[in-house]
Amino acid sequence: MSILDIFRKKKLPPGDPKTQKAGQKLINKNTELGTRYEAARELAKIDSTEAVYCLLQRFTVVIGGATPDEDEKNNVRKAVVMAGSKSIDAIMKFLRNKETVGQALDILKELTTEEEFLDLLLELTESFDPYFSKYPDKKAQTFMEISQFKDPRIIDALAPYLEDDDDDIRIQAVKALANQNDEENTRELLVQCLVECDERPRVRIAACEVLLEKGWTVKGFRKQAENALPDRFYLNKKGALLERKG
């Protein structure tokens, strides 16, 4: 079997043979620890976008016990950070293609300004399917990062995910929209979410909690909202949510 065949089997990108060979050693569970460290150093020396992408693959596998695995990944993280801005394209490719993205998101945040980081998060969101979650954890982590920002683009970007097939994604979208503190553009979205999520109690409660916290009314949807409210909530005369005591 050729190196290229191995890479296809492992789903690593074809390209420079030297880079491929080092990348394969880095994620091979049967390779000696010292060999994997040497492979990481080799990829760092190559210093290309392809090499950084291969370094990032180390985050997708667990090798050995928790401590040595974490040490190796910290070593790889340092190498990716040291590569600087050339790492960004590789990280974005990794984020689009892979499921395990927590460390890659952390590195991206470290390498960019707040404005750049949000731009890239929104770019990543555009690659997601708003109605199907192949990798729901990736969406959830991305939306958690987005929720730290206030930007008018976020509302348009995340509103479709109020209809995602995964409840956790819907809830993260609710939280991110709530954090915009934009009643004019988010209130109705959240009320509709409450009304339409009758078979998703966790999502419905999340929407209710936001409306309660913000003091926003269900204006225009009172009858539907009354029918959809969980037992612990009720509406006052103005249509604002209140919570039952006890």
Side-chain angles (χ1 to χ4, degrees), residues 3 7 47 75 81 89 96 113 121 125 158 163 169 174 207 211 221:
I3 290 292
F7 263 71
D47 197 30
N75 181 60
V81 171
D89 285 345
R96 286 190 292 268
T113 65
L121 290 172
T125 299
L158 295 196
E163 299 182 24
I169 304 305
V174 166
L211 293 168
F221 299 86

Side-chain angles (χ1 to χ4, degrees), residues 132-151:
F132 173 71
S133 298
K134 182 178 181 181
Y135 300 133
D137 286 347
K138 175 163 67 174
K139 278 186 184 178
Q141 290 181 67
T142 301
F143 294 171
M144 285 177 65
E145 294 290 350
I146 289 176
S147 70
Q148 305 305 309
F149 294 91
K150 289 183 173 63
D151 188 291

Side-chain angles (χ1 to χ4, degrees), residues 231-233 243-246:
D231 291 341
R232 63 185 260 211
F233 300 98
E243 190 168 13
R244 301 184 194 280
K245 303 298 182 182

Side-chain angles (χ1 to χ4, degrees), residues 85-98:
S85 59
K86 70 168 60 66
S87 294
I88 293 176
D89 285 345
I91 293 171
M92 290 300 292
K93 179 179 178 181
F94 182 85
L95 291 172
R96 286 190 292 268
N97 296 336
K98 300 298 179 179

